[in-house]
């Protein structure tokens, strides 16, 4: 009997241990969803494609969310940040770990247009006057600067910095990864010399580049009261020497807003390995500046 009792006790102990092991297995992280959409742009006279990341639980309880507009580079499209940047998985992890607030992320596509109103179309107008109101009509997102951020890589980072200096009334934080902010002129290996917005009469329009680049805009930014916290970075072996150009901008911003700028130089070239591996750090810096998700009554109606 003693031997049988020992066996019973051992068996019960084993079952208890196994049960504890089962309950200790962590549940899989919550995952957001992605929608592929388009709007009929009257400015372009064509469809304007964009993708949207919606955090897990979106739409369940009427919560309104902050929103990040995440822009691709010159050669990119509306799926780059998903397919090459892995941003959905990064957002899932950061939101689940409570390192960033649950956020809607909008990724428009406008190849080779640099998000500017240039010689070959009005890319900034479509972005600000058509896409923002469309998103704010269609999704539960804040429609004022306290709930918006902009970000991007290369040409998209150039746009983020330009908009921070010219439209600080629109958003509360920015992300600029490997920003294409060459001063005074882009390097010879830049694709910009043939990109439509800056191409006029068969050649590169230096005047337009200078007018739209940050050195021509920063005095106006200094003269107004709003400040946009900015995250800047570059690969240390960037083929376009962006580590240098970003450092020059960082010096000016640090003098102006030392508590609202971050600059990182990381291992790598002008490549997706840099952007994929650093977007998480950038999101952790920028998104907490935005208004936290809240109930529908806290939403501000209307768009700029």
């Amino acid at each position: 009997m003693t031997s049988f009792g020992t066996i019973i006790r051992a068996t019960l102990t084993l079952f208890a241990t196994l049960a504890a092991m089962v309950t200790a297995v962590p549940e899989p992280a919550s995952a957001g969803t992605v929608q592929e959409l388009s709007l009929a742009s009257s400015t372009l006279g064509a469809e304007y494609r964009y993708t949207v990341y919606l955090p897990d639980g979106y739409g369940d309880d009427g919560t309104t969310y902050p929103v990040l507009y995440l822009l691709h580079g010159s050669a990119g499209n509306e799926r780059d940040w998903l397919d090459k940047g892995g941003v959905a998985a990064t957002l899932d992890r950061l939101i689940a770990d409570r390192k960033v607030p649950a956020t809607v992320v909008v990724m428009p596509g406008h190849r080779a247009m640099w998000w500017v109103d240039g010689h070959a179309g009005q890319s900034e107008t479509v972005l600000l006057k058509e896409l923002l109101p469309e998103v704010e009509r269609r999704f539960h997102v804040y429609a004022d600067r306290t709930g918006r951020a902009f970000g991007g890589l290369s040409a998209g980072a150039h746009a983020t910095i330009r908009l921070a200096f010219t439209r600080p009334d629109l958003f509360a934080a920015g992300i600029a990864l490997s920003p294409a902010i060459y001063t005074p002129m882009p390097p010879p290996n830049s694709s910009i010399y043939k990109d439509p917005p800056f191409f006029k009469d068969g050649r590169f329009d230096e005047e337009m580049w200078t007018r739209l680049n940050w050195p021509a805009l920063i005095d106006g930014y200094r003269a107004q009261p709003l400040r946009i916290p900015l995250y800047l970075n570059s690969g240390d072996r960037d083929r376009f020497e962006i580590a240098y150009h970003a450092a020059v901008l960082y010096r000016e911003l640090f003098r102006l807003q030392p508590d609202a700028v971050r600059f990182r130089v990381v291992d790598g070239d002008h490549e997706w390995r840099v952007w994929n591996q650093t977007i998480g750090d950038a999101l952790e810096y920028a998104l907490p500046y935005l208004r936290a998700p809240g109930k529908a009554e806290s939403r501000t109606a209307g768009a700029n």
Side-chain angles (χ1 to χ4, degrees), residues 132-147:
L132 264 69
E134 168 80 1
V135 168
E136 290 162 4
R137 177 190 65 81
R138 191 164 190 167
F139 296 98
H140 297 296
V141 298
Y142 294 120
D144 66 278
R145 73 177 300 271
T146 65

Side-chain angles (χ1 to χ4, degrees), residues 102-114:
T103 303
V104 171
V105 179
V106 180
M107 294 157 278
H110 208 183
R111 184 182 178 91
M113 296 304 292
W114 285 71

